Amino acid sequence: MTKIEYQPLNDRAYQEILTGLTNGIFAPMQPLVIRTLAESYGISATPIREALQRLVAERLLVVLPNRSIVVPQMTREKFAQLLPVRVALEGMATELAVPRLIPEDIARLRGILDRIAGTAKTFDARAYLQLNREFHFRIYEKSGNEELLHVIQGLWLKVGPVFTGLFDSDHFRRHANDEHVHIVDALERRDAAAARACMERDLTLAAEALMPRLQARAAP
Amino acid sequence: MTKIEYQPLNDRAYQEILTGLTNGIFAPMQPLVIRTLAESYGISATPIREALQRLVAERLLVVLPNRSIVVPQMTREKFAQLLPVRVALEGMATELAVPRLIPEDIARLRGILDRIAGTAKTFDARAYLQLNREFHFRIYEKSGNEELLHVIQGLWLKVGPVFTGLFDSDHFRRHANDEHVHIVDALERRDAAAARACMERDLTLAAEALMPRLQARAAP
DNA sequence: GTCTGCTATTTGATATATCATATATAATAC
DNA sequence: GTATTATATATGATATATCAAATAGCAGAC
């Protein structure tokens, strides 16, 4: 007996819009119109509205004074502010995960590493982003701290759309996996401090590759 | 010309329910019924539903498999998981605030300190909670990092209801202000590391006072 | 030409109606 | 009596209708 599962429409609308955001479907400052979205998803306005409200609460969308709901522009400043928060929390999660990772987890991480290396050769940006996310969260999940994990997830949602451009940088693509390898090595040695340091460096290097691509300030 | 401002009903419903949560009006595990809330606030179901959804997204409420929406029980485990996250972020915010605090800010903080001392004598728990919050956020706001501030606000919302019981502890009430004084002293000396350390201790001591009052695990 | 004010249209906000599911209650079988 | 089923009720989920604010378009004044 396979449990059939029901998912409310607002949840699904949320997911749809979210992946749209992550894939950069919606241009910043272009308003998301409730009725339009409702029609294009073939559902009524109510669940769409709820999904948008939720995204606003998570700060993935913002409400203009006109009440229009738009994608906020990720500026260099905002990204720079997000970075130390992510470094602190993802570093913490990594450290916490060290004593809880079993050899099987390490093996799985090495598997991801191999696949990431593959994407650098095939220039498959989408696969890279997917695997990069999987790599990080396989570690964070092992922190055993659900509250911490939830906050980190929220932060990744915010920076998600920006990451899309990560693979465009030649230099980054070639070195994308370097820190990842160091992280897994440290994890395997059960060296929590080193694992944390490598994770922090990974985040910082990615941020440095991305920052120049971002606009200095929000458009007026 | 004073700008008249409009606030959507869902925002106000959100605020109302939120203060209800903070004041412990809604018992954990008791379902919040949309129609009932709508009636008691004299508005329709839609804005209430949106407010509840938002609170669920922020994890201040949870959806049961039955789809009922209830106040989650704050367990000792959850609180313990929240603590290191708060320590890291609020410590960071404190450190960032140090070079940005002007003498006027320090003076204002001293003023809050005095008023907090007053509440300990008059046993005014509500005033204490209010002032304690104000004290902390006056500092965090000065971090200049809006993203960080937002995350911290979210964390405070989660622990808010628990804090209500803080003042019941005799020992805590007498020493509630001790660390605060140390924090301000450190801020005045522009000693970022010390300010951070004192802030971390303040959070930890409060947590230690509260933890025993929490249930060890969630009810089944 | 620009500016002003009017009208129409778009779009968000709210209320209501309807549907589906879950819970409670009652009735029946045993 | 308990267990089981049927029915009624409560409640969440969705769709639709209505209202209100904002925007766009247009006509006339100058």
Side-chain angles (χ1 to χ4, degrees):
Chain A
M1 190 103 97
T2 156
K3 138 167 81 171
I4 75 151
E5 68 173 87
Y6 164 81
Q7 201 185 13
L9 288 186
N10 61 19
D11 269 26
R12 287 200 282 172
Y14 173 83
Q15 289 297 339
E16 287 293 327
I17 299 170
L18 189 59
T19 59
L21 286 173
T22 312
N23 298 336
I25 302 296
F26 306 106
M29 295 300 128
Q30 165 206 327
L32 303 198
V33 178
I34 296 175
R35 282 168 171 85
T36 309
L37 289 169
E39 194 178 0
S40 71
Y41 294 140
I43 63 179
S44 89
T46 309
I48 297 288
R49 220 183 112 81
E50 287 171 356
L52 291 180
Q53 296 273 337
R54 184 168 160 194
L55 291 163
V56 169
E58 289 170 346
R59 291 201 158 191
L60 302 185
L61 295 174
V62 296
V63 185
L64 262 38
N66 337 335
R67 305 188 190 172
S68 301
I69 294 176
V70 301
V71 183
Q73 186 150 283
M74 176 59 79
T75 62
R76 213 174 288 166
E77 282 79 8
K78 241 197 282 182
F79 195 80
Q81 290 191 340
L82 248 7
L83 182 62
V85 181
R86 292 183 53 219
V87 164
L89 298 187
E90 299 179 39
M92 184 193 298
T94 305
E95 213 172 327
L96 289 170
V98 168
R100 307 172 120 257
L101 286 158
I102 60 177
E104 196 184 331
D105 296 319
I106 306 281
R108 198 189 304 263
L109 287 172
R110 294 242 182 251
I112 297 174
L113 250 41
D114 291 345
R115 283 189 283 158
I116 289 180
T119 65
K121 292 190 185 105
T122 58
F123 296 84
D124 188 344
R126 184 163 307 279
Y128 168 75
L129 292 172
Q130 171 79 38
L131 288 165
N132 182 53
R133 191 194 159 89
E134 193 181 336
F135 176 79
H136 282 263
F137 277 93
R138 282 248 188 251
I139 297 171
Y140 303 153
E141 278 163 11
K142 281 287 173 171
S143 70
N145 187 326
E146 297 226 21
E147 300 296 333
L148 174 59
L149 183 62
H150 182 248
V151 178
I152 295 174
Q153 283 168 341
L155 296 169
W156 271 63
L157 288 179
K158 285 184 202 173
V159 295
V162 174
F163 274 42
T164 314
L166 198 52
F167 228 53
D168 299 348
S169 153
D170 244 19
H171 178 266
F172 182 83
R173 192 171 53 247
R174 275 196 303 273
H175 297 282
N177 227 3
D178 294 357
E179 287 307 321
H180 289 174
V181 173
H182 295 153
I183 292 168
V184 179
D185 288 347
L187 292 174
E188 197 161 33
R189 296 196 313 270
R190 307 278 165 191
D191 186 341
R196 174 179 198 139
C198 293
M199 180 61 81
E200 290 177 355
R201 188 154 45 241
D202 182 52
L203 300 180
T204 306
L205 289 175
E208 279 169 8
L210 283 169
M211 295 272 276
R213 311 181 140 286
L214 293 172
Q215 221 147 19
R217 340 199 100 268
Chain B
M1 192 103 96
T2 157
K3 137 168 82 175
I4 76 156
E5 69 172 86
Y6 162 81
Q7 201 185 15
L9 288 185
N10 61 18
D11 269 24
R12 287 200 281 173
Y14 173 84
Q15 289 297 339
E16 286 295 326
I17 300 170
L18 189 59
T19 58
L21 287 173
T22 312
N23 298 337
I25 304 294
F26 306 107
M29 295 300 128
Q30 164 207 329
L32 304 197
V33 178
I34 296 175
R35 282 169 172 82
T36 308
L37 290 169
E39 195 178 0
S40 70
Y41 293 140
I43 62 179
S44 89
T46 310
I48 297 288
R49 219 182 114 81
E50 287 171 355
L52 292 180
Q53 298 272 337
R54 184 167 159 196
L55 290 162
V56 168
E58 288 169 346
R59 291 199 158 193
L60 302 184
L61 296 174
V62 297
V63 185
L64 264 38
N66 340 335
R67 304 187 190 175
S68 299
I69 293 176
V70 301
V71 183
Q73 199 148 19
M74 177 59 79
T75 63
R76 213 173 289 168
E77 282 80 6
K78 243 198 279 184
F79 195 79
Q81 290 191 342
L82 247 7
L83 183 61
V85 181
R86 292 184 53 219
V87 164
L89 298 187
E90 299 180 38
M92 184 191 301
T94 305
E95 212 172 329
L96 290 171
V98 168
R100 308 173 120 256
L101 285 159
I102 60 179
E104 196 184 331
D105 296 319
I106 306 282
R108 199 190 304 262
L109 288 172
R110 294 245 182 247
I112 298 174
L113 249 41
D114 290 345
R115 283 189 283 158
I116 289 180
T119 65
K121 292 191 186 103
T122 58
F123 295 85
D124 188 344
R126 185 163 306 279
Y128 168 75
L129 292 172
Q130 173 78 40
L131 288 166
N132 182 52
R133 191 195 159 87
E134 194 181 336
F135 175 79
H136 282 262
F137 278 92
R138 282 249 187 248
I139 298 171
Y140 304 154
E141 278 163 10
K142 282 287 173 171
S143 70
N145 188 326
E146 297 225 21
E147 301 296 332
L148 174 59
L149 182 62
H150 182 249
V151 177
I152 294 174
Q153 283 168 341
L155 296 169
W156 272 62
L157 288 179
K158 284 186 204 172
V159 296
V162 174
F163 273 42
T164 314
L166 198 52
F167 228 51
D168 299 348
S169 155
D170 243 18
H171 180 265
F172 182 82
R173 193 173 52 247
R174 272 196 304 274
H175 297 283
N177 227 3
D178 294 358
E179 287 307 321
H180 290 173
V181 173
H182 295 153
I183 292 168
V184 179
D185 288 347
L187 292 173
E188 198 161 33
R189 297 197 311 271
R190 306 279 166 189
D191 186 342
R196 174 177 200 140
C198 293
M199 181 61 81
E200 291 177 356
R201 188 156 43 243
D202 182 52
L203 300 180
T204 306
L205 288 175
E208 278 168 10
L210 283 169
M211 294 272 278
R213 315 175 76 69
L214 294 172
Q215 225 151 11
R217 340 201 100 269

